[in-house]
Amino acid sequence: EVQLVESGGGSVQAGGSLTLSCRTSGIDISGYLMGWFRQAPGKEREGVAIMAKNGQISYAESVKGRFTIAKDNAKNTLTLQMYDLKPSDTAMYYCALSTFPAMLTANHPSTETMMDYWGKGTEVTISS
């Protein structure tokens, strides 16, 4: 059974940083595309960052230069380093894995539908 478990969320002030982790079991993530998504209160879920199995990366414009996605294949873990956090980054953050063989764009409307497995999320709250 494939399981994705996010951790690392919390409450920080604007300008602060957090690192989210997504520990995965039941599948070798080195062979798959993975990504981070978020859903703010009252809004639809949106893509934040995508990493293909070859290391190609796509970020949403709103997080470029502030967020860094990385994959530790040895630990079967996906991470998202977040810097210079803003109140607009407040959301539930989810990691996901896709068996789709090609690269996906982080903030394309169809990207979310291409993900096959999802974690339950970790909450991030940024205060001003």
Side-chain angles (χ1 to χ4, degrees):
E1 179 186 6
V2 177
Q3 290 189 322
L4 287 71
V5 180
E6 302 93 337
S7 62
S11 298
V12 299
Q13 289 190 324
S17 62
L18 284 172
T19 296
L20 307 183
S21 294
C22 175
R23 180 171 50 85
T24 305
S25 60
I27 195 167
D28 180 355
I29 68 171
S30 66
Y32 299 95
L33 178 148
M34 294 191 71
W36 287 96
F37 296 76
R38 67 185 181 186
Q39 186 167 20
K43 295 188 177 181
E44 294 190 353
R45 190 157 55 187
E46 63 177 359
V48 175
I50 296 290
M51 175 176 270
K53 62 181 181 180
N54 66 357
Q56 190 175 357
I57 292 173
S58 172
Y59 292 105
E61 284 295 325
S62 60
V63 306
K64 276 184 180 178
R66 301 189 299 119
F67 289 13
T68 301
I69 188 172
K71 192 190 289 185
D72 186 334
N73 292 330
K75 295 182 179 179
N76 226 35
T77 297
L78 184 74
T79 61
L80 184 69
Q81 293 181 303
M82 306 186 294
Y83 302 98
D84 190 23
L85 285 161
K86 306 175 186 298
S88 56
D89 294 318
T90 294
M92 185 71 79
Y93 283 72
Y94 302 88
C95 73
L97 182 146
S98 175
T99 59
F100 189 70
M103 181 59 184
L104 299 171
T105 302
N107 59 353
H108 192 280
S110 68
T111 296
E112 180 179 347
T113 65
M114 305 304 292
M115 311 308 286
D116 298 287
Y117 301 97
W118 291 85
K120 294 183 178 180
T122 185
E123 192 164 7
V124 171
T125 303
I126 311 302
S127 58
S128 56

